[in-house]
Amino acid sequence: MNNIYVIRALLAAALFGASTPFAKLLVGEISPWLLAGLLYLGSGLGLAVVRLVRDRGWTPSGLANGEWPWLLGAIFFGGVLGPLALMFGLTRTSGSTASLLLNLEAVLTAVIAWVVFKESAGRRIVLGMLAIVAGGVVLSWSGGDAETRDGVGPLAIVVACLCWAIDNNLTRRVSASDALFIAGAKGAVAGSVNVVLAFALGASLPGGPMLLGTLAVGLLGYGISLALFVLALRGLGAARTGAYFSTAPFIGAAVSVVLLGESTSTAFWIAFVLMAWGVWLHLTEHHEHEHVHESMEHRHRHVHDAHHQHAHAFAWTGDEPHEHWHRHEAMVHKHPHFPDIHHRHPH
């Protein structure tokens, strides 16, 4: 396996997990609705600036016409319905129960990837995902549930997890496209929706320093994290990327221990062992069989490896990696592989 994709998934989890302790410092100073909106908005605006600097001006998204429905669906489920369901659920659910239920996102992501999109699911992957999710469950469980009013709140959080699971799998379909554009578009839409709702509920913007700090946390913990998540999807598929991303609660807890001086518990170290075991199972997975590549056309950054033996319709200087629209001819071969953008075949 190309470990660069694993590193990207774990970095995405690290940035997202680390953003939680920083966001906790802002809770009480900013309303939850507005805080969620500003974090997402910091992601969208920040990535738009990064993309403008990278490309030295505005450039097209690069998405093919057939990819737009996938992206719009991902934005709708992950950027609009998911946050709305979570915010509603949090008003009727205790923090411990909410944290516990949020671990369902990885499970639902994997189930959809396996059942709907036919990703491969070896025994090591299933065990590894269960170990990582179990670590999140242990870490989240703090006992007590006095704040939960009825079953409506937990159900809403489950719906939020389902929305994000659908989002993850739809984003997988466009993961070969510009990760900055995909992540920035999601952040801009989710941020706008939540900020408008916050203002409708009477919230007001915080002072300049706090506003800038919140936007910065959003850029790192939501924007760059999501861009890395999209890049990881290219090489790992939705189920594996979602499983690695499930280490975020542990990373957030570790940052809380270091920066906020919170004490560790037995549950913390049990979670550490479970998640480390799960990651190890994934890292040591071996998946190989003879498989068929159907002919396809797409655009992404690549080198001329076994899957990219194509001619160029332009003067090529020989520089690699490079990016252009290219066609893959049908072929059959056998080698270790994972459900990346070139190996989305049934088993």
Side-chain angles (χ1 to χ4, degrees):
M1 185 200 306
N2 191 341
N3 286 335
I4 186 63
Y5 296 109
V6 175
I7 293 172
R8 288 168 176 168
L10 292 175
L11 282 176
L15 286 172
F16 182 75
S19 71
T20 302
F22 287 100
K24 284 175 63 176
L25 297 175
L26 300 170
V27 173
E29 304 294 332
I30 306 176
S31 76
W33 287 97
L34 185 58
L35 177 58
L38 292 176
L39 289 171
Y40 277 114
L41 208 55
S43 162
L45 295 176
L47 291 182
V49 172
V50 171
R51 191 167 182 265
L52 287 171
V53 172
R54 182 198 65 182
D55 298 338
R56 299 179 181 179
W58 178 255
T59 56
S61 67
L63 266 70
N65 290 335
E67 292 179 323
W68 279 102
W70 299 109
L71 178 59
L72 293 176
I75 291 174
F76 176 71
F77 282 101
V80 179
L81 288 187
L84 287 175
L86 176 63
M87 291 300 170
F88 175 77
L90 288 175
T91 64
R92 309 176 69 91
T93 311
S94 69
S96 59
T97 297
S99 298
L100 186 67
L101 290 171
L102 286 174
N103 287 287
L104 287 174
E105 179 185 344
V107 178
L108 294 172
T109 295
V111 170
I112 293 173
W114 295 335
V115 174
V116 179
F117 294 101
K118 308 303 180 183
E119 280 192 12
S120 59
R123 184 172 59 181
R124 296 181 75 86
I125 287 299
V126 175
L127 286 176
M129 186 202 71
L130 292 176
I132 292 171
V133 173
V137 169
V138 170
L139 196 64
S140 302
W141 185 258
S142 58
D145 198 25
E147 299 176 34
T148 300
R149 302 179 189 175
D150 49 42
V152 176
L155 179 60
I157 293 176
V158 172
V159 170
C161 291
L162 177 61
C163 288
W164 287 321
I166 295 172
D167 169 18
N168 293 338
N169 280 278
L170 295 182
T171 301
R172 168 186 178 270
R173 304 288 297 187
V174 297
S175 59
S177 301
D178 187 357
L180 290 182
F181 175 80
I182 293 170
K186 285 186 177 183
V189 172
S192 299
V193 169
N194 282 283
V195 166
V196 168
L197 287 173
F199 286 156
L201 293 173
S204 57
L205 284 175
M210 184 170 293
L211 175 62
L212 291 176
T214 305
L215 294 175
V217 171
L219 172 59
L220 292 170
Y222 287 65
I224 296 179
S225 172
L226 180 54
L228 288 168
F229 186 90
V230 173
L231 292 173
L233 283 171
R234 292 181 184 177
L236 300 176
R240 291 163 177 80
T241 304
Y244 283 120
F245 196 76
S246 294
T247 60
F250 170 77
I251 294 170
V255 171
S256 295
V257 170
V258 174
L259 293 184
L260 304 182
E262 296 182 358
S263 59
T264 58
S265 63
T266 301
F268 179 90
W269 294 110
I270 293 175
F272 174 84
V273 172
L274 285 169
M275 289 185 168
W277 181 49
V279 170
W280 177 78
L281 286 171
H282 283 195
L283 286 172
T284 54
E285 179 197 11
H286 183 85
H287 180 77
E288 181 176 0
H289 61 90
E290 187 175 87
H291 54 277
V292 178
H293 289 269
E294 303 290 347
S295 61
M296 65 181 297
E297 295 185 24
H298 61 178
R299 177 190 181 104
H300 66 94
R301 194 170 174 83
H302 64 278
V303 297
H304 285 189
D305 55 17
H307 297 95
H308 294 91
Q309 299 299 315
H310 52 254
H312 295 80
F314 56 89
W316 179 44
T317 63
D319 293 334
E320 291 183 339
H322 63 171
E323 182 176 340
H324 61 90
W325 193 263
H326 57 278
R327 177 179 177 82
H328 294 270
E329 300 297 340
M331 66 183 297
V332 179
H333 63 174
K334 178 179 179 179
H335 64 93
H337 64 278
F338 296 91
D340 57 27
I341 58 175
H342 299 109
H343 295 91
R344 292 173 178 170
H345 51 257
H347 291 76

